[in-house]
Amino acid sequence: MNAATLFGLCGAALVGIGLYGLITNPEPLRKILAFNLLGSGVFLLFGMIARRAAAAGLGGDPVPQAMVITAIVVAFAATAMAIALVQRLADETGRASISSDSSDAVDGEGKS
Amino acid sequence: MSIASVFDIALVALILAIGASTILVRTAFAAVVMFAVYGLLLSIAWVRLHAVDVALTEAAIGGGMTGLLLLGAVARSRSDDVDRVRVGYPVRLAAGGLCALVVAGLAIVVLHPPAAVPTLAPVVMENLPPSGLGNPVAGVLFVFRALDTLLEKVVVLLALLGVWSLAPDRAWGGTPGLQVYAKPDPPLIFLAQLLPPVGIVFGIYMCWVGAKDPGGAFQGGTVLAAMWLLVIVAGLQKAPAISRLWLRGLLIAGPMLFLAIGLAGWVFADAFLAYPEGYAKPLIVAVEATLTLSIAVALAMLAAGPPERAQQQ
Amino acid sequence: MPATTVLDATTADGALLVLAIVLPVVGILLSFVLGGRYAERIAGVLLPAGFIVACIIFLKVWQGGEPLIYIVGGWQPPLGITLRADGLSVAMMVAMAIVICLIGVFAHANFGSRAASVETRAPLVFWVMLMAISGAMNMIFLGGDLFTLYVALELLTFAAVPLVCLDGRVETLQAALRYLLFALLGSILYLVGTALLYGSYGTLDIVLMSQRVRLEPATLAAATLMTLGLFAKTALFPLHLWLPPAHAGAPAAASAVLSAVVVKGSFFLIVRLWFDALPGLLSVAASQLIGVLGASAIICGNIVALRQKRLKLLIAYSTVAQIGYLFLMFPLAFSADPSPHHYGDALTAGMLQTISHATAKAAMFMAAGLIYAALGHDRISELGGIARALPMTMFAFGLGGLCLIGLPPTGGFLAKWLLLEATIATAQWWWAIVIIAGGLLTSAYIYIVLSRTMGPPNAPLTLYAAVPKYQEVAALGLACLSVLLGLVALGPIDVLQVGRPEAPMAGLR
Amino acid sequence: MSLVMDIWTICAVSAGALFFLAGTVGLLRFPDTLTRLHALTKVDNLGLGLITLGLLPQTSSLLLAVKLVIVWLLVQLSGAVVTQLVAGAIRQHGADG
């Protein structure tokens, strides 16, 4: 097994771990963390694809690499917005939490 | 098995363990600390994947800036004393099953690459020389897929406006709440005086070198943003009020210049976002330099959060 | 697989496509630096300008019968990005531009900022986000590259979420957070798909991909994840839980744009994915499954809507149901015996339903907003007498309702009629039952609301605020459009087929 | 000559790695935050210093060597400041804070 495949599998596992955290953790902040984990798993999949397509004297295909850079920035912007929302909510209610049925809400994924 | 592959396997194991622990540990604080470590390990993984540009971005933004944001949020939410409600066992089981399914599906795909792996690397290298850039990733970002990069800058601006929109009405136009936490601490002030000159030089270097080596506007901008935040947190400078014209101007300067040069390409080259022959490199460097500033301001303001106090006249 | 790769070239007038995207971006940047006082004026110039550009593009495509293409930066795909306006894009672009412009007119009352001397929060945010939504939608309609579409999708999300919690109440903040989390999950799943597709085909250009696509595990995994993610963003049952609180809690103008426009963006991507990027890949069983989800959305959404006590929530649940209709086009287009005729009909029906729902639903949310503004509440049981106080508003609401039910000659009627025709032609009678049952349920709750508002007031009606005439006109204008849409059958409906590849290759299955 | 340099590199880097190992053990085993800090900083300084010294002969250009030294100095600086800050926080809020 070469390095690209190994990190690809790592990415796949991280996607799973992140998804699990996103579904089961009711605390919004932890959901945001899980989303970041999920995102980094996806980025590693891009990395695997870039690495195994190495050619023309490059260590990897630069197109997916550039896409990852764009996506990392977008994910950061999303995180910033989500955290600001959580904090405003905490300021308003004294405690950050989406209403209790939220976990079921995301779990709808499981039934589809 | 070579030393490199032993290292890779150990690295992957560590990444997975730390990653899982950010989900499983009990307190949000511990999870965030784990996440910062995770970001660092991940950037090593990117180096191992021969994607140094991505490694820099991951370390600067994915690990550093995101970690900073999360840490700030944990510090404010005092969520340690919240007794966590966990979801029920059946839900966790179902979620686990679903996730295992996804992982299995992705693993199958990873293990079965197409017979002929498609790649755009040769095409990129073939078309790179006219732009004068040496870094193929920068070439993709600023030449071949410039539209994505331009839109992504707009995304960042929108996210910033989204964060600002969460301010109470009375605080609109005021200063972000960041310096509320600034406790003038001698060692911190020392650092905030010593580091920024070095950091600013380094940030500019990162942006400059991005044309031919790994680096670029985002990585450089992140370093500049970090320096600015350090100065603000140490209490040496106030965070600016968000209604300041210079702040707004800096925020849009990069995207505006990018768009203007893109539109000029219509007249002077043959298409929107095309560069006239021979002028590609100076134009791209100008765009990158301005973008670095805009990104630095945008990232710092994103981290500083929505305005909390009305502007004092 | 045919190895012929048709290289597109920029067509004459292709530059218009760039204009459609650049105009809103310029507006966003200018509003940032000129400040909130000018944001409305900028939007007031640029949104109508965008509408005119969309109309010109529409006419060019309709008359030329050929898609418009623009190669950005002169770089051919797979290296570069193309913008491509086919029949679907231009129809959607024009429709969404009209809806956004009229919402802009309506929003002047709440977010007008001409008189203010200092920049205030809500107007700046609203107008910038409205322009961003218009730009993101144009990008989604025109984008020819799956990754560019990802960025556009995120642009749309980041513009939509702040609109939900513009008033800063706790409920709306919670709704916005939940919406954001669902949306982020959706876009990250979409991103996994693009990664896998790039890994298999070395391109993300939609046309190139349609020529290279093969039936293999990576493609199936990618398509499944992307579709799931887009389902979450489109709020297809059972991933709809974020929608009602978010759409019902937002200010009226924002509700209108969220319900009418924003959910259509991710839906359009699903259509692009299955009809254009991966043609003929959707198996009959999978398309039936999508149909079942759509049917469940219609039935559940309508039943829950029937039980709502508040008008805005009722309208929001009706959005959940109407989204269900959109997904009925999949089992009808990808039926067991594919014929190009049904394929095109189902697609036309789906697009018509998208557009007529957009106009009708925007009108209804506006009407509900006016009622809320006038009465200070929107409890359905206490709406008695409002029809006499605000006749034009209630007329708009009623017309929108007729369109949702699907009575002739509305656009909703035409859409549902085409769907019914397709069910008969492809011998899938079970969908016909769902369509008719959905129509009956819809008429039940529209009837309840209308009869309540026309009935006598419980107590003497006191209006808290005068409702500006132009707001009522905007709502009524949209409602009339939704009715008149039925007449497009006489002409412009052909435009939808421009640039469509012929029937999907049945051999791929 | 290159053999001597290689041996030097191997020795210095191994020693540095050993210090890191010791520091990590200290971080895990020491009873309270202050002693853990002690273990960490001592080892950071020595471990990283030795590794930098060990790698210096392997650099191909002077610029690269300067970069290595800068990295070391920056880590020293941030390490020292952060340790001060953590220790200060402990003095204010107690070790559990």
Side-chain angles (χ1 to χ4, degrees):
Chain A
M1 189 190 294
N2 58 11
T5 313
L6 184 65
F7 285 108
L9 288 177
C10 178
L14 285 173
V15 169
I17 295 173
L19 198 58
Y20 179 80
L22 197 60
I23 295 173
T24 58
N25 216 316
E27 226 180 299
L29 203 60
R30 304 292 295 271
K31 274 192 196 289
I32 297 171
L33 254 174
F35 160 73
N36 271 291
L37 216 59
L38 172 53
S40 60
V42 178
F43 302 154
L44 272 186
L45 285 175
F46 267 107
M48 180 263 307
I49 285 160
R51 177 71 186 122
R52 78 178 183 201
L58 295 179
D61 186 346
V63 175
Q65 290 180 358
M67 286 175 185
V68 173
I69 292 180
T70 304
I72 288 179
V73 174
V74 171
F76 169 75
T79 308
M81 196 142 107
I83 285 178
L85 253 175
V86 171
Q87 289 199 339
R88 177 72 198 276
L89 200 54
D91 290 346
E92 296 286 325
T93 60
R95 179 181 161 175
S97 151
I98 3 181
S99 53
S100 56
D101 56 337
S102 62
S103 50
D104 308 353
V106 177
D107 187 54
E109 182 81 23
K111 290 163 210 145
S112 61
Chain B
M1 197 156 28
S2 66
I3 294 180
S5 52
V6 172
F7 178 80
D8 284 345
I9 290 171
L11 183 61
V12 165
L14 205 57
I15 287 176
L16 288 179
I18 305 260
S21 72
T22 61
I23 300 294
L24 298 174
V25 290
R26 287 183 53 81
T27 63
F29 180 74
V32 171
V33 172
M34 284 297 181
F35 183 76
V37 178
Y38 171 82
L40 280 179
L41 290 173
L42 212 58
S43 46
I44 301 178
W46 282 107
V47 175
R48 295 291 307 144
L49 283 167
H50 293 247
V52 182
D53 288 274
V54 185
L56 284 172
T57 315
E58 172 63 39
I61 297 179
M65 274 289 174
T66 309
L68 183 76
L69 269 178
L70 288 164
L71 209 55
V74 170
R76 288 189 67 177
S77 73
R78 307 170 298 274
S79 67
D80 282 34
D81 47 44
V82 175
D83 195 13
R84 296 233 333 266
V85 259
R86 280 221 169 246
V87 294
Y89 189 67
V91 174
R92 269 187 282 165
L93 203 65
L98 173 76
C99 296
L101 200 68
V102 172
V103 174
L106 289 176
I108 290 174
V109 175
V110 169
L111 292 172
H112 293 88
V117 177
T119 175
L120 288 180
V123 195
V124 170
M125 291 318 276
E126 205 176 294
N127 290 293
L128 199 58
S131 71
L133 297 176
N135 179 358
V137 177
V140 175
L141 283 174
F142 287 95
V143 182
F144 309 127
R145 301 187 68 98
L147 183 63
D148 284 351
T149 313
L150 179 62
L151 285 179
E152 166 226 54
K153 302 300 178 275
V154 181
V155 167
V156 173
L157 277 185
L158 281 191
L160 180 59
L161 187 63
V163 169
W164 284 355
S165 81
L166 292 164
D169 268 321
R170 62 189 148 68
W172 182 256
T175 50
L178 187 68
Q179 76 258 41
V180 175
Y181 309 99
K183 272 175 287 165
D185 216 334
L188 193 61
I189 293 173
F190 170 69
L191 188 69
Q193 283 164 337
L194 194 64
L195 203 53
V198 183
I200 289 168
V201 170
F202 182 59
I204 294 170
Y205 169 76
M206 286 262 262
C207 164
W208 169 250
V209 82
K212 67 180 205 312
D213 285 324
F218 252 105
Q219 296 89 333
T222 316
V223 175
L224 295 186
M227 290 306 119
W228 195 22
L229 286 172
L230 177 63
V231 170
I232 293 175
V233 171
L236 294 179
Q237 210 186 49
K238 278 186 174 171
I242 64 156
S243 56
R244 298 275 172 191
L245 193 61
W246 64 263
L247 182 79
R248 301 276 180 93
L250 276 180
L251 278 173
I252 69 150
M256 206 57 156
L257 183 70
F258 200 172
L259 187 63
I261 288 179
L263 288 174
W266 226 335
V267 184
F268 298 108
D270 43 5
F272 174 61
L273 284 172
Y275 303 96
E277 218 168 310
Y279 292 94
K281 184 159 184 198
L283 286 177
I284 293 172
V285 169
V287 168
E288 280 222 61
T290 336
L291 275 180
T292 306
L293 266 184
S294 294
I295 290 162
V297 176
L299 292 183
M301 294 311 284
L302 273 174
E308 291 192 344
R309 284 165 309 148
Q311 190 179 2
Q312 291 112 26
Q313 290 302 327
Chain C
M1 195 56 40
T4 49
T5 305
V6 185
L7 286 182
D8 293 325
T10 296
T11 53
D13 307 313
L16 285 168
L17 309 185
V18 176
L19 213 55
I21 291 159
V22 164
L23 280 180
V25 172
V26 169
I28 296 168
L29 296 179
L30 283 182
S31 307
F32 245 87
V33 73
L34 292 180
R37 275 172 293 162
Y38 293 93
E40 190 190 6
R41 270 176 256 189
I42 294 169
V45 174
L46 289 180
L47 291 179
F51 171 61
I52 293 169
V53 171
C55 286
I56 299 174
I57 297 175
F58 182 92
L59 287 177
K60 298 272 181 205
V61 170
W62 189 23
Q63 288 169 349
E66 286 284 318
L68 294 188
I69 294 166
Y70 192 84
I71 314 263
V72 179
W75 299 105
Q76 294 278 356
L79 193 54
I81 297 168
T82 55
L83 302 174
R84 194 165 179 277
D86 60 2
L88 298 185
S89 348
V90 293
M92 294 293 286
M93 254 173 82
V94 170
M96 294 304 155
I98 298 178
V99 174
I100 289 177
C101 281
L102 285 173
I103 290 172
V105 171
F106 178 86
H108 172 70
N110 309 93
F111 301 105
S113 53
R114 272 158 218 258
S117 58
V118 206
E119 178 183 292
T120 42
R121 184 183 63 93
L124 175 69
V125 175
F126 179 81
W127 293 111
V128 172
M129 295 310 180
L130 193 64
M131 283 186 274
I133 286 175
S134 130
M137 292 302 284
N138 282 348
M139 193 65 238
I140 286 175
F141 298 143
L142 299 177
D145 181 281
L146 291 176
F147 188 77
T148 310
L149 290 175
Y150 163 76
V151 181
L153 204 56
E154 291 293 44
L155 203 60
L156 192 63
T157 306
F158 289 6
V161 171
L163 288 183
V164 171
C165 56
L166 215 46
D167 60 3
R169 282 179 297 127
V170 173
E171 309 91 84
T172 60
L173 287 168
Q174 278 172 340
L177 181 58
R178 188 191 284 191
Y179 175 23
L180 182 59
L181 287 172
F182 265 92
L184 290 180
L185 176 66
S187 33
I188 212 80
L189 289 179
Y190 178 87
L191 192 62
V192 187
T194 55
L196 300 183
L197 287 179
Y198 184 88
S200 294
Y201 304 114
T203 181
L204 288 173
D205 183 76
I206 289 176
V207 176
L208 283 183
M209 179 153 312
S210 69
Q211 292 163 353
R212 297 180 185 178
V213 66
R214 300 177 299 266
L215 189 58
E216 59 181 18
T219 314
L220 282 183
T224 311
L225 290 172
M226 288 169 102
T227 311
L228 271 181
L230 293 169
F231 280 175
K233 288 203 145 188
T234 317
L236 176 63
F237 180 90
L239 299 173
H240 65 283
L241 289 161
W242 60 265
L243 186 143
H247 286 193
S255 301
V257 76
L258 291 171
S259 229
V261 180
V262 173
V263 285
K264 306 303 187 318
S266 42
F267 173 71
F268 189 82
L269 281 191
I270 302 178
V271 174
R272 268 277 184 263
L273 190 64
W274 289 114
F275 282 82
D276 289 325
L278 313 171
L281 212 63
L282 192 64
S283 70
V284 176
S287 73
Q288 290 289 323
L289 184 64
I290 296 178
V292 168
L293 293 180
S296 322
I298 295 174
I299 302 299
C300 298
N302 276 329
I303 289 178
V304 180
L306 205 50
R307 294 172 47 193
Q308 291 307 309
K309 304 253 182 308
R310 286 187 42 219
L311 186 58
K312 284 190 85 177
L313 266 173
L314 181 146
I315 305 176
Y317 273 106
S318 123
T319 297
V320 172
Q322 294 289 323
I323 287 170
Y325 281 107
L326 302 178
F327 288 92
L328 288 188
M329 68 190 258
F330 289 94
L332 298 176
F334 297 87
S335 60
D337 69 309
S339 88
H341 183 60
H342 310 145
Y343 186 74
D345 267 6
L347 188 61
T348 306
M351 286 298 125
L352 254 181
Q353 166 69 11
T354 314
I355 294 171
S356 54
H357 175 250
T359 47
K361 193 47 67 71
M364 291 171 82
F365 261 123
M366 286 178 183
L370 292 178
I371 293 171
Y372 194 102
L375 292 180
H377 71 80
D378 65 344
R379 290 183 290 278
I380 295 169
S381 58
E382 295 167 36
L383 288 184
I386 191 74
R388 202 152 302 157
L390 298 173
M392 214 203 287
T393 302
M394 281 322 296
F395 189 49
F397 184 90
L399 286 182
L402 291 188
C403 182
L404 292 194
I405 298 168
L407 291 182
T410 61
F413 162 73
L414 189 56
K416 277 149 208 167
W417 178 255
L418 284 172
L419 282 176
L420 278 175
E421 251 186 10
T423 57
I424 295 161
T426 58
Q428 304 185 62
W429 48 268
W430 49 93
W431 304 123
I433 298 178
V434 174
I435 294 171
I436 293 167
L440 288 176
L441 285 169
T442 313
S443 55
Y445 61 74
I446 298 292
Y447 171 77
I448 290 176
V449 173
L450 285 180
S451 66
R452 188 75 69 188
T453 57
M454 290 182 191
N458 303 345
L461 204 61
T462 42
L463 296 189
Y464 287 89
V467 169
K469 193 55 85 192
Y470 66 86
Q471 283 195 295
E472 292 195 272
V473 171
L476 189 61
L478 277 171
C480 289
L481 272 178
S482 75
V483 172
L484 293 178
L485 258 177
L487 302 180
V488 297
L490 302 176
I493 205 165
D494 311 333
V495 81
L496 285 172
Q497 304 300 332
V498 172
R500 300 235 49 76
E502 284 120 62
M505 295 146 278
L508 260 173
R509 296 258 172 87
Chain D
M1 189 60 201
S2 78
L3 184 69
V4 177
M5 282 192 181
D6 284 353
I7 291 174
W8 161 249
T9 299
I10 290 171
C11 291
V13 172
S14 310
L18 210 65
F19 272 105
F20 268 112
L21 192 68
T24 313
V25 172
L27 177 70
L28 293 174
R29 303 288 301 187
F30 279 177
D32 61 57
T33 316
L34 278 177
T35 46
R36 283 179 190 169
L37 271 184
H38 171 82
L40 263 188
T41 44
K42 282 289 164 307
V43 158
D44 255 14
N45 290 351
L46 268 171
L48 191 66
L50 278 171
I51 289 180
T52 310
L53 280 179
L55 291 180
L56 278 181
Q58 304 290 329
T59 52
S60 53
S61 71
L62 189 65
L63 186 67
L64 208 59
V66 173
K67 279 186 193 167
L68 261 181
V69 174
I70 291 178
V71 167
W72 176 58
L73 285 176
L74 284 175
V75 173
Q76 292 281 42
L77 177 69
S78 65
V81 171
V82 169
T83 316
Q84 286 270 342
L85 289 178
V86 174
I90 292 170
R91 203 168 64 186
Q92 274 189 344
H93 306 293
D96 317 318

